[in-house]
Amino acid sequence: MPIFTAPDGTELTYHVRGEGALLVVLPGGPMRASAYLGDLGGLAGHRRLVLLDLRGTGNSAVPDDPATYRCDRLVDDVEALRAHLGSARMDLLAHSAGGSLAMLYAARYPERVGRLALVTATPWALGMPATGEDRLAAARLRAGEPWFEDAFPAFEAWLTGTGDFDPAFAPFFHGRWDEAAKEHEARADDQFNDEAGDVYGSEGAYDPPATRAVLAGLTAPVLVLAGEVDGGPRPALARRAADVFPNAEFAVQPGAGHYPWLDDPEWFVRRLTAFLDTDGAAREPSTADV
């Protein structure tokens, strides 16, 4: 698999799926191996996806300094990947917690971003966290689901600090609790680096006023896509995040949760390609053999 070296010497890997114009993909979690993204519901049929395994996840090496798991410090890894790929500008797609990494990257290297797609992205970098009440309000939309009565008390206890994370409430993160969603969740434990996840958003990771100020001048087109029944972020919060960017589109995928490419792959791919393939999208070839 392709390997490149971060500025601090850590060896990082990425996975290539599909052919066509380059689209670099930043995973969420935080700090979850990129394998969970699959081919993004078939988006690899339209773009050459380069899915980064963040340091300490997937096939990437564990760094000598655990402090480098912090979100703002991971920006250097994304820039090293761009340089390795040989692209002056790149289109970026970021999911969930990866959205904050993408926003910090765009704020530091605005000239390197062709288009930016933020998929159910948690806008921590903008100082806009999803609250427990946000998540509970979204969860209550699922009251008609057959699993709701068993799952909701555990979810509420976790969010109010009176209970631990419980796999029983995994359905709240999916728009459809079907076999694909269950299989997706079954692989999760092996894909997370919990130690790294604890560092990702630790003190000093974000400076929301400074980031918002810089992104207010970002000229790159941005798509902010929310899931209709996602609680983190809910569509209203995602809309507030979109308002930070001067050249943003906002979309809500009907019936989707936190992993919209699983809930309705056709809708997801159609909306993403409509954004990415608009005239002006980055089309610069990569010189790296990926």
Side-chain angles (χ1 to χ4, degrees):
M1 69 196 67
I3 297 173
F4 68 103
T5 304
D8 68 349
T10 304
E11 289 195 341
L12 305 177
T13 63
Y14 58 93
H15 307 267
V16 181
R17 297 189 174 93
E19 298 179 353
L22 177 69
L23 179 63
V24 172
V25 182
L26 304 180
M31 304 305 287
R32 185 173 182 178
S34 66
Y36 82 95
L37 296 160
D39 68 353
L40 285 171
L43 189 59
H46 304 265
R47 280 291 184 115
R48 179 164 52 110
L49 307 182
V50 171
L51 300 101
L52 176 62
D53 278 341
L54 299 173
R55 54 181 53 218
T57 71
N59 297 110
S60 287
V62 173
D64 292 333
D65 181 3
T68 60
Y69 288 135
R70 206 174 70 179
C71 185
D72 59 320
R73 299 186 67 176
L74 295 173
V75 170
D76 291 337
D77 294 350
V78 179
E79 175 60 5
L81 174 60
R82 181 208 59 78
H84 168 78
L85 295 172
S87 226
R89 289 192 309 153
M90 60 184 178
D91 290 346
L92 276 173
L93 183 151
H95 173 245
S96 188
S100 283
L101 174 56
M103 287 183 245
L104 293 186
Y105 179 83
R108 194 180 304 176
Y109 297 103
E111 74 283 1
R112 300 302 191 187
V113 179
R115 287 179 173 265
L116 174 59
L118 300 170
V119 176
T120 59
T122 314
W124 293 323
L126 303 178
M128 301 177 185
T131 66
E133 188 48 49
D134 283 339
R135 295 183 182 276
L136 288 173
R140 292 185 183 101
L141 298 175
R142 317 297 296 281
E145 303 278 358
W147 42 262
F148 179 86
E149 293 299 329
D150 291 331
F152 186 80
F155 194 49
E156 186 173 34
W158 176 60
L159 290 171
T160 56
T162 60
D164 296 326
F165 188 91
D166 189 331
F169 54 67
F172 288 118
F173 295 94
H174 296 268
R176 297 188 306 185
W177 188 236
D178 55 13
E179 290 306 312
K182 292 174 184 177
E183 182 180 350
H184 186 262
E185 285 297 325
R187 297 191 295 265
D189 285 346
D190 295 330
Q191 295 171 340
F192 277 95
N193 181 334
D194 292 331
E195 176 193 0
D198 289 341
V199 176
Y200 188 84
S202 58
E203 185 177 358
Y206 308 123
D207 183 349
T211 301
R212 289 196 302 268
V214 175
L215 293 180
L218 184 70
T219 59
V222 177
L223 170 66
V224 177
L225 188 149
E228 183 182 22
V229 297
D230 189 17
R234 296 193 76 191
L237 179 57
R239 178 72 213 216
R240 286 174 52 210
D243 288 342
V244 169
F245 301 93
N247 189 15
E249 302 175 23
F250 175 68
V252 179
Q253 181 168 327
H258 200 58
Y259 307 97
W261 63 90
L262 293 177
D263 296 319
D264 188 342
E266 291 184 3
W267 195 102
F268 178 82
V269 170
R270 186 168 62 249
R271 186 64 184 86
L272 264 293
T273 53
F275 169 71
L276 293 168
D277 294 342
T278 301
D279 289 343
R283 290 290 187 273
E284 299 187 31
S286 165
T287 59
D289 181 13
V290 297

Coordinates of all heavy atoms in Angstrom, one line a residue, residues 14 25 27 32 45 47 54 58 90 97 110 116 153-154 166 193 203 210 220 237 244-245 259 271 282:
Y14 N -2.1 5.5 2.9 CA -3.4 5.8 2.4 C -3.8 4.7 1.4 O -3.0 3.8 1.0 CB -3.3 7.2 1.7 CG -2.3 7.3 0.5 CD1 -2.7 7.0 -0.8 CD2 -1.0 7.7 0.8 CE1 -1.8 7.1 -1.8 CE2 -0.1 7.8 -0.3 CZ -0.5 7.5 -1.6 OH 0.4 7.6 -2.6
V25 N -9.6 12.1 1.1 CA -10.7 11.9 2.1 C -10.1 11.7 3.5 O -9.2 10.9 3.7 CB -11.5 10.6 1.7 CG1 -12.6 10.4 2.7 CG2 -12.0 10.6 0.3
P27 N -10.9 10.8 7.4 CA -11.8 10.1 8.2 C -12.2 10.8 9.5 O -11.4 11.7 9.9 CB -11.1 8.7 8.4 CG -9.7 9.1 8.4 CD -9.5 10.2 7.4
R32 N -10.4 7.2 13.6 CA -10.8 5.9 13.1 C -10.2 5.6 11.8 O -10.0 6.5 11.0 CB -12.4 5.9 13.0 CG -13.0 4.6 12.6 CD -14.5 4.7 12.6 NE -15.1 3.3 12.3 CZ -16.4 3.1 12.3 NH1 -17.2 4.1 12.6 NH2 -16.8 1.9 12.0
G45 N -16.6 5.3 -8.1 CA -16.9 5.1 -9.5 C -16.9 6.4 -10.3 O -16.9 6.4 -11.5
R47 N -14.7 9.2 -8.8 CA -13.5 9.9 -8.4 C -12.4 8.9 -7.9 O -12.8 7.8 -7.5 CB -13.8 10.9 -7.2 CG -14.4 12.2 -7.6 CD -13.4 13.1 -8.4 NE -13.9 14.4 -8.7 CZ -13.4 15.5 -8.2 NH1 -12.4 15.5 -7.4 NH2 -13.9 16.7 -8.6
L54 N -5.0 8.3 9.3 CA -4.3 9.2 10.2 C -3.3 8.4 11.1 O -3.5 7.2 11.4 CB -5.3 9.9 11.1 CG -6.4 10.8 10.3 CD1 -7.4 11.3 11.3 CD2 -5.7 11.9 9.6
G58 N -5.4 2.4 11.4 CA -5.2 1.6 10.2 C -3.8 1.1 10.0 O -3.2 0.5 10.9
M90 N -6.0 20.4 -4.2 CA -6.7 19.1 -4.1 C -8.1 19.4 -3.6 O -8.3 20.3 -2.8 CB -5.9 18.1 -3.3 CG -5.8 18.6 -1.8 SD -4.8 17.4 -0.9 CE -4.7 18.2 0.7
A97 N -15.7 14.0 12.6 CA -14.6 14.7 13.3 C -13.5 15.2 12.3 O -12.8 16.2 12.5 CB -13.9 13.8 14.3
P110 N -5.3 27.8 2.4 CA -6.5 28.0 1.6 C -6.2 27.9 0.1 O -7.0 27.4 -0.7 CB -6.9 29.5 1.9 CG -5.7 30.1 2.5 CD -4.9 29.0 3.2
L116 N -14.2 21.7 -1.2 CA -14.2 21.1 0.2 C -15.6 20.6 0.4 O -16.6 21.4 0.5 CB -13.8 22.1 1.2 CG -13.9 21.7 2.7 CD1 -13.1 20.5 3.0 CD2 -13.6 22.9 3.6
P153 N -33.1 4.8 26.6 CA -32.6 5.0 27.9 C -31.1 4.9 28.0 O -30.5 5.7 28.8 CB -33.3 3.9 28.7 CG -34.5 3.6 27.9 CD -34.1 3.7 26.5
A154 N -30.4 4.0 27.3 CA -29.0 3.9 27.4 C -28.3 5.1 26.7 O -27.3 5.6 27.2 CB -28.5 2.6 26.7
D166 N -22.7 2.5 25.1 CA -23.4 1.2 25.0 C -23.7 0.9 23.5 O -24.3 1.7 22.8 CB -24.7 1.2 25.8 CG -25.3 -0.2 25.9 OD1 -25.1 -1.0 25.0 OD2 -26.0 -0.4 27.0
N193 N -8.6 4.2 17.5 CA -7.5 4.4 18.4 C -8.0 5.3 19.5 O -8.1 6.5 19.3 CB -6.3 5.0 17.7 CG -5.1 5.2 18.6 OD1 -5.3 5.3 19.8 ND2 -3.9 5.2 18.0
E203 N -6.9 20.4 24.8 CA -6.6 21.8 24.9 C -5.6 22.3 23.9 O -4.5 21.7 23.7 CB -6.2 22.1 26.3 CG -6.0 23.6 26.6 CD -5.6 23.9 28.0 OE1 -5.5 22.9 28.8 OE2 -5.4 25.0 28.4
A210 N -10.3 32.6 15.4 CA -9.3 32.8 14.4 C -9.6 32.0 13.2 O -9.5 32.4 12.0 CB -7.9 32.4 14.9
A220 N -12.6 28.9 -2.0 CA -13.0 27.6 -2.5 C -14.4 27.3 -2.3 O -15.0 27.6 -1.3 CB -12.1 26.5 -1.9
L237 N -27.4 23.0 13.1 CA -26.1 23.3 13.4 C -25.2 23.3 12.2 O -24.3 24.1 12.0 CB -25.6 22.3 14.5 CG -24.1 22.5 14.9 CD1 -23.9 23.8 15.5 CD2 -23.7 21.4 16.0
V244 N -20.5 30.1 7.8 CA -19.2 30.7 8.0 C -18.5 30.9 6.7 O -17.7 31.9 6.5 CB -18.4 29.8 8.9 CG1 -16.9 30.2 9.0 CG2 -19.0 29.8 10.3
F245 N -18.8 30.1 5.7 CA -18.0 30.1 4.4 C -18.8 31.0 3.4 O -20.0 31.0 3.3 CB -18.0 28.7 3.8 CG -17.3 27.7 4.7 CD1 -18.0 26.9 5.6 CD2 -15.9 27.6 4.7 CE1 -17.4 26.0 6.4 CE2 -15.2 26.6 5.5 CZ -16.0 25.9 6.4
Y259 N -23.9 8.4 8.8 CA -23.1 7.8 7.7 C -24.0 7.8 6.4 O -24.5 6.7 6.0 CB -22.7 6.4 8.1 CG -22.0 6.3 9.4 CD1 -22.6 6.0 10.6 CD2 -20.6 6.6 9.5 CE1 -22.0 6.0 11.8 CE2 -19.9 6.5 10.7 CZ -20.6 6.2 11.8 OH -19.9 6.2 13.0
R271 N -25.5 13.7 -5.1 CA -25.3 15.0 -4.6 C -23.8 15.4 -4.5 O -23.4 16.6 -4.8 CB -25.9 15.1 -3.2 CG -25.9 16.5 -2.6 CD -26.7 17.5 -3.4 NE -26.7 18.9 -3.0 CZ -25.8 19.8 -3.4 NH1 -24.8 19.4 -4.3 NH2 -25.9 21.0 -3.0
A282 N -11.2 21.2 -8.9 CA -9.8 20.9 -9.1 C -9.6 19.7 -10.0 O -10.3 18.7 -9.8 CB -9.1 20.7 -7.8

